[in-house]
Amino acid sequence: MKDIQGKSIRIFSPATVANVGCGFDVLGFALEGVGDEMVLAPKESPTLNVTRIEGCEGLPYDADKNVATVALKALLEAYGKKIGFDITIKKNVLPGSGLGSSASSSAGAVFAANELLGRPFTREQLVVFAMEGERVASLKPHADNVAPAIFGGFTLVRDVASMDVINIRFPSELHVTIAHPQVEVKTADAKKILRKEVLLSDAITQWANVGSLVAGLMSNDYGLIGRSLKDVIVEPVRSMLIPLFQEAKTAAMEAGALGFSISGSGPSVFALSTDRKTAEDIKNAIASIYAQEDIDTKLYISKINPNGCEVIESQEPAFSH
């Protein structure tokens, strides 16, 4: 442990949009400038202590309940050496926002630890560890948020069991407008209302949209991207939990959005557009809808974050593995 005494690392872990309309549980992308910051400091005692959480009340400090420490436990078990960390978390992505709050903490923790330890694990392995934090948060170890947080950009999780994650090329000028009405929708609750069975015709439509969305992203075909951002299975159900969803969608599309849908399980919604000006127009149009009903709403404009988790400040890696 003497080699890592005094070392620490500060990282940024991005917010993410999962599902991306038609890609329920398999598609996601990372945002720029919206996310959590974390500091990890190794210590002599092989324990995990969350020393401070800023920006959000009520999150657990218990190492068996906090998603960051649960994910870290999975990483350290695989690492096989007794190491402890003190963890500080600055939450800018709030639980229940639909922007991957638990994924931001889970992914950030394992990314930071991996950097301190000299990168003994691949990004695919980090996703597996981070998914254990997601298991605590939503009772299911899904990867559609943690994968883009760790890989950056757009990701497609083809298979969770083999952790087959594909980075998808995307137009560099693609912009995202996010609206987060200040109501809470818990992921576990949002999953409970989903239909257990779907019509074959709906499934075929959804498969076609996922395939064509990926093709549109990779070929910079904005028209195809827009035609493919349609969800006929999940959005019709979950949108009922989101205030003024249809009104906001109509306003966004009239302002020039390529497409509009729910971010994760909501209540955040997102719109894709081709440039910053259109993204601003969409933001103003959505803001007007929610302002008419006095619903407090946070709004963001972002490009797609190609890097995912990033180091803000650190010393040299403590170990070579």
Side-chain angles (χ1 to χ4, degrees):
M1 283 295 298
K2 64 180 182 180
D3 292 334
I4 60 174
Q5 289 181 8
K7 305 280 185 179
S8 66
I9 189 170
R10 180 186 297 273
I11 64 96
F12 168 79
S13 185
T16 50
V17 170
N19 302 336
V20 197
C22 51
F24 179 71
D25 270 8
V26 298
L27 286 177
F29 61 80
L31 299 175
E32 282 188 346
V34 185
D36 293 345
E37 290 185 18
M38 305 179 73
V39 176
L40 263 67
K43 59 179 184 174
E44 289 281 358
S45 171
T47 58
L48 299 174
N49 290 334
V50 178
T51 59
R52 188 168 73 254
I53 300 174
E54 301 177 11
C56 185
E57 296 182 359
L59 291 181
Y61 282 72
D62 188 330
D64 292 325
K65 296 179 180 179
N66 188 287
V67 297
T69 45
V70 169
L72 275 175
K73 283 184 178 183
L75 180 146
L76 292 175
E77 183 177 344
Y79 189 66
K81 295 182 181 180
K82 292 185 176 181
I83 303 167
F85 292 99
D86 286 330
I87 305 110
T88 300
I89 305 171
K90 184 178 180 181
K91 292 296 295 179
N92 296 311
V93 185
L94 298 182
S97 64
L99 294 173
S101 176
S102 59
S104 187
S105 293
S106 300
V110 298
F111 169 80
N114 196 51
E115 291 292 309
L116 281 168
L117 298 174
R119 301 180 185 172
F121 298 109
T122 66
R123 289 187 295 181
E124 287 85 359
Q125 289 172 306
L126 294 183
V127 171
V128 173
F129 303 143
M131 284 169 60
E132 291 305 308
E134 294 288 71
R135 187 194 300 274
V136 172
S138 61
L139 306 180
K140 179 184 177 183
H142 55 91
D144 52 340
N145 286 107
V146 291
I150 290 170
F151 277 79
F154 261 93
T155 58
L156 169 67
V157 182
R158 191 201 66 79
D159 180 58
V160 171
S162 61
M163 197 40 61
D164 191 358
V165 178
I166 300 102
N167 259 125
I168 302 167
R169 293 196 308 273
F170 58 91
S172 61
E173 289 306 310
L174 203 61
H175 279 70
V176 190
T177 303
I178 300 284
H180 176 200
Q182 296 299 287
V183 297
E184 183 177 355
V185 176
K186 293 183 178 179
T187 301
D189 293 339
K191 285 186 179 295
K192 289 177 183 177
I193 68 170
L194 296 179
R195 290 176 287 169
K196 304 303 181 187
E197 298 179 353
V198 298
L199 294 173
L200 180 60
S201 59
D202 285 344
I204 292 169
T205 298
Q206 201 86 336
W207 297 331
N209 283 336
V210 172
S212 57
L213 176 57
V214 172
L217 290 166
M218 297 185 70
S219 62
N220 289 14
D221 187 332
Y222 287 120
L224 185 56
I225 291 170
R227 295 195 302 275
S228 306
L229 276 170
K230 294 180 172 62
D231 174 8
V232 299
I233 295 176
V234 177
E235 181 182 302
V237 180
R238 283 187 171 172
S239 61
M240 294 186 292
L241 301 176
I242 301 170
L244 301 177
F245 176 85
Q246 293 299 334
E247 293 86 344
K249 182 172 186 174
T250 298
M253 297 303 293
E254 290 178 350
L258 295 171
F260 179 99
S261 193
I262 304 168
S263 177
S265 57
S268 289
V269 292
F270 77 95
L272 294 183
S273 56
T274 59
D275 55 74
R276 177 81 189 194
K277 180 183 182 306
T278 305
E280 291 279 3
D281 291 344
I282 295 166
K283 175 183 174 181
N284 293 335
I286 296 173
S288 177
I289 293 296
Y290 284 110
Q292 291 173 18
E293 298 296 330
D294 293 324
I295 297 175
D296 186 22
T297 306
K298 291 186 177 181
L299 294 116
Y300 312 93
I301 292 178
S302 170
K303 295 184 76 174
I304 308 299
N305 178 347
N307 302 312
C309 293
E310 295 184 273
V311 176
I312 298 173
E313 182 181 2
S314 74
Q315 300 183 44
E316 289 298 314
F319 292 101
S320 58
H321 190 83

